[in-house]
Amino acid sequence: MNSPGEADIEPVLNEPVPLRIHHVHGDPRAVLDQVLRDHLHRRLRRVEATDAEFAAGTAAQTVAFTLAGGKRLRSALAWWGWRAGGGPVSGPVAQHALAACASLELLQTCALVHDDVMDGSQTRRGVPCVHRVHEAEHREHGWSGEDRRYGESLAVLVGDLALAWADDMLSGALPGVPRPEEGREVWREMRTEMIAGQFLDVRGQATRSRSESLALRIDLLKTASYTVERPLHLGAAMAGAPPAVIEALRSYGRDVGVAFQFADDLAGAYGDSRATGKPVGDDLREGKTTLLLALGTRIAREEGDAQALELLERVGSGADTAEAAAALERLGAADRVREHCRGLAARGAAHLDGVELPEPVHTHLADLARRIGEGV
């Protein structure tokens, strides 16, 4: 087996560097993807001078993971925040803003790769997780030590490198936007909130918590903050948006971000692994502290359903995930989460009605909220 990334580094390095982009019309995701690809292409070139094996392994894998998947949701939301704050859509200032927004995709790489290690996941985006790839590499070569420890160590390095590159990309872009220090402060808060949410997630799983308030706190910090609220805030802050616009965007982001997580929880329990890229039932297998599980446990207790309560209390320690999912549906917990999801998505969209937002910002944000609410 070749080291992870060896098959990817040559095509990445041999691609022509894209032309600089001077304007963005409509959906920014294709442009953001091109900006990200351009940046990582140049970054990988520089890493080769540090160490060729590292470049062909960890660095190329970081690049490949970042470019290979994802919907560019966070970077697109940052761009809509930029537009909401009056940021230009063309010229060198817009180019710097695009780079700052695109840096969120590297932060996402860090979060996903590390999250997979902590959860002991098997697949991500329909293929083996980074740590599983390295475990297999270790076994195939018969190397010394534990294959699991080796795989997790290499995955941690991929996540660390992605975080370092995210910081570097943002730092290189911020001097070219109107309010660099405001953007930097949002970035600081977002990184800390993301890690705090991950801490609560790990702790809740270890303690087998069934607390609804803890589940909501995890959703707010781990998902809503760095998926919707802070990306919008970052873009708006860089542009120098008025306080009323920033507050409306952040309120929208908190509600829609939590709704996004509720939808993800439901997809994880009842969805199609071909769509999610992860096995259905992973959250139940791991005993994640989700509102779905917390609500179901409370309902079973209140209704005196001893069989369901015993099953749900064993979630995360050997309970059959399909049986647990069916019990949560039968108890009405899944329907309640769907209802909460729709309500939060609608409330989030309503926050936009109180401020003037340029088009197509309002349309895109309202459509996102609608799709999340209708998708459950």
Side-chain angles (χ1 to χ4, degrees):
M1 174 188 288
N2 291 330
S3 297
E6 284 183 7
D8 302 307
I9 190 168
E10 283 305 320
V12 170
L13 290 177
N14 291 330
E15 285 177 357
V17 177
L19 297 174
R20 292 184 67 80
I21 299 153
H22 296 287
H23 59 270
V24 182
H25 295 299
D27 191 330
R29 287 176 293 181
V31 176
L32 287 161
D33 194 71
Q34 185 175 342
V35 168
L36 184 66
R37 186 175 297 273
D38 183 9
H39 176 85
L40 291 176
H41 174 278
R42 289 182 278 109
R43 195 68 199 245
L44 200 52
R45 286 282 190 191
R46 292 197 295 272
V47 171
E48 280 195 305
T50 300
D51 185 84
E53 187 174 3
F54 173 69
T58 296
Q61 189 173 40
T62 303
V63 171
F65 185 97
T66 304
L67 296 178
K71 300 179 179 66
R72 305 293 179 249
L73 172 65
R74 292 157 186 83
S75 53
L77 286 170
W79 178 254
W80 294 126
W82 168 260
R83 291 290 313 280
V89 298
S90 62
V93 175
Q95 186 73 28
H96 280 88
L98 284 164
C101 295
S103 67
L104 284 162
E105 300 301 328
L106 282 161
L107 186 64
Q108 169 75 339
T109 292
C110 168
L112 293 180
V113 173
H114 283 178
D115 190 58
D116 286 342
V117 171
M118 288 182 246
D119 290 346
S121 299
Q122 295 292 330
T123 60
R124 167 71 65 179
R125 296 170 177 167
V127 298
C129 295
V130 171
H131 62 285
R132 298 299 184 192
V133 170
H134 287 294
E135 284 181 21
E137 175 193 29
H138 186 281
R139 286 194 298 271
E140 181 170 327
H141 288 286
W143 288 337
S144 176
E146 299 176 16
D147 56 358
R148 176 181 173 182
R149 186 175 181 84
Y150 176 83
E152 292 177 347
S153 297
L154 268 289
V156 167
L157 292 178
V158 168
D160 288 350
L161 184 63
L163 179 58
W165 282 1
D167 283 342
D168 291 346
M169 190 174 186
L170 182 84
S171 296
L174 282 180
V177 303
R179 300 290 180 86
E181 192 49 46
E182 283 84 343
R184 198 180 309 278
E185 182 58 30
V186 175
W187 183 264
R188 293 187 190 109
E189 294 298 323
M190 176 174 56
R191 288 179 308 175
T192 301
E193 288 163 357
M194 181 184 76
I195 295 170
Q198 186 66 54
F199 161 78
L200 293 175
D201 187 31
V202 172
R203 178 68 65 86
Q205 185 175 334
T207 60
R208 299 173 66 184
S209 173
R210 301 295 186 265
S211 165
E212 293 167 54
S213 62
L214 177 60
L216 289 170
R217 187 67 179 158
I218 293 169
D219 292 344
L220 187 64
L221 289 172
K222 184 180 176 183
T223 300
S225 169
Y226 104 101
T227 298
V228 186
E229 180 190 358
R230 292 300 192 181
L232 285 167
H233 189 189
L234 174 66
M238 293 190 304
V245 170
I246 288 179
E247 181 52 38
L249 292 175
R250 292 190 64 187
S251 297
Y252 165 95
R254 283 190 291 270
D255 285 344
V256 173
V258 173
F260 180 87
Q261 184 58 57
F262 288 171
D264 189 68
D265 292 343
L266 290 165
Y270 305 105
D272 185 340
S273 60
R274 291 171 296 182
T276 64
K278 297 188 72 175
V280 172
D282 257 12
D283 286 351
L284 293 171
R285 175 183 61 80
E286 296 156 10
K288 292 278 189 180
T289 306
T290 65
L291 184 66
L292 177 64
L293 179 57
L295 269 175
T297 303
R298 175 165 65 83
I299 294 169
R301 184 177 293 112
E302 290 174 350
E303 294 185 354
D305 191 331
Q307 183 177 0
L309 182 61
E310 189 274 336
L311 172 65
L312 296 179
E313 286 181 339
R314 286 192 294 108
V315 165
S317 58
D320 184 277
T321 58
E323 289 181 7
L328 291 168
E329 188 75 67
R330 177 175 57 77
L331 289 164
D335 281 339
R336 290 200 195 182
V337 174
R338 293 184 184 102
E339 183 180 350
H340 288 319
C341 180
R342 296 186 191 106
L344 281 172
R347 190 174 78 177
H351 289 302
L352 304 178
D353 296 336
V355 293
E356 288 190 20
L357 297 175
E359 286 298 348
V361 177
H362 188 283
T363 297
H364 276 273
L365 295 182
D367 183 61
L368 174 63
R370 178 188 57 78
R371 284 187 285 112
I372 290 172
E374 291 179 355
V376 297

